[in-house]
Amino acid sequence: MSSTFRRHGEAIRFVLRPPEAELLRRLRDELRRSLEDPDPEDAVVARLFPPVVLGDAEADRAARDLLAEELLADRLAGLDLLADILERARVSRGRLTVDLVEEEPLLVLGVLNDVRLALGARIDVEALDRASVGPEDPLAYPLAIMDHLGWWQEQLLELLDGDDQDAEGPS
C-alpha cells in the first residue's frame, strides 16, 4: 500500500486517488452542513464540542459562550481551507497531488480528525462491538472509512513528528 503523505523538500506531498478525493470532499461537505447550523442534540456537534467544564453546568455554559463561536469559526475555516487545498491539486498518472506547506499539514490533520470523529459519532462507534460487524453489515463501510482516515492521520503524524525531531537537531 502506498503512502498518501510523504516528505517532498520542505513540503508534505498529499497524494490521493480520485475516489479518495471525492470521498474526502463529500465527508467535508457533510460535516460543514452539520456545523453551519449546529444542533446541540446532534451527536456530531456533541462530539466535536464536548463539555468544557465537567460537573458544573453553569460554568460549562459560560465557558462555551466564550469559546463556541471561535471554535466553530475555526472548524469551518479549516473545512474551507481543505476544499481550497483539494482544488489546487494537480492530476498526474491518475492521482491528485498537492504539496502542503507551512501550517497546512496541521490543518489537514485537524480536519481529518474532525471528519473521523463526526463519522464515529454518527454510527455511535464507542458503543459498537467491532468484532460483531461483518462485511455485509451497513456499519462496515463507515468503519472502513474511519480506519482509512486513521491510517492517513498516522502517516501525517509520523512526518510531523519527524519534523519536530529534525527541528531540535543535535545538542
Side-chain angles (χ1 to χ4, degrees), residues 50-65:
V52 178
V53 179
L54 297 175
D56 186 342
E58 188 174 320
D60 182 58
R61 193 170 15 268
R64 284 174 180 270
D65 288 346

Side-chain angles (χ1 to χ4, degrees), residues 146-160:
M146 286 182 64
D147 290 345
H148 197 75
L149 294 173
W151 176 63
W152 285 356
Q153 287 177 286
E154 286 177 29
Q155 290 177 53
L156 194 47
L157 279 169
E158 284 179 19
L159 289 170
L160 292 171

Side-chain angles (χ1 to χ4, degrees), residues 22-149:
E22 186 55 39
L23 175 64
L24 193 52
R25 283 183 185 102
R26 185 176 54 81
L27 291 170
R28 175 235 172 243
D29 292 346
E30 288 173 8
L31 180 54
R32 183 158 185 69
R33 281 191 297 276
S34 291
L35 295 179
E36 283 177 333
D37 187 22
D39 173 2
E41 301 300 315
D42 181 3
V44 170
V45 173
R47 183 66 178 108
L48 291 178
F49 300 96
V52 178
V53 179
L54 297 175
D56 186 342
E58 188 174 320
D60 182 58
R61 193 170 15 268
R64 284 174 180 270
D65 288 346
L66 290 173
L67 301 171
E69 283 186 42
E70 185 176 341
L71 291 173
L72 178 60
D74 287 348
R75 282 203 159 96
L76 291 171
L79 293 171
D80 290 343
L81 288 171
L82 177 65
D84 294 343
I85 288 168
L86 292 173
E87 282 301 313
R88 74 170 201 253
R90 60 194 179 280
V91 178
S92 174
R93 291 185 260 164
R95 307 256 183 200
L96 285 83
T97 303
V98 64
D99 289 338
L100 304 176
V101 295
E102 299 172 4
E103 297 300 314
E104 289 176 337
L106 286 173
L107 170 117
V108 169
L109 184 63
V111 172
L112 290 174
N113 189 60
D114 286 351
V115 167
R116 192 165 178 255
L117 287 172
L119 189 55
R122 284 273 182 250
I123 65 171
D124 196 15
V125 72
E126 291 179 11
L128 188 66
D129 175 15
R130 286 182 72 118
S132 70
V133 178
E136 300 302 318
D137 191 307
L139 296 175
Y141 182 69
L143 283 172
I145 292 170
M146 286 182 64
D147 290 345
H148 197 75
L149 294 173

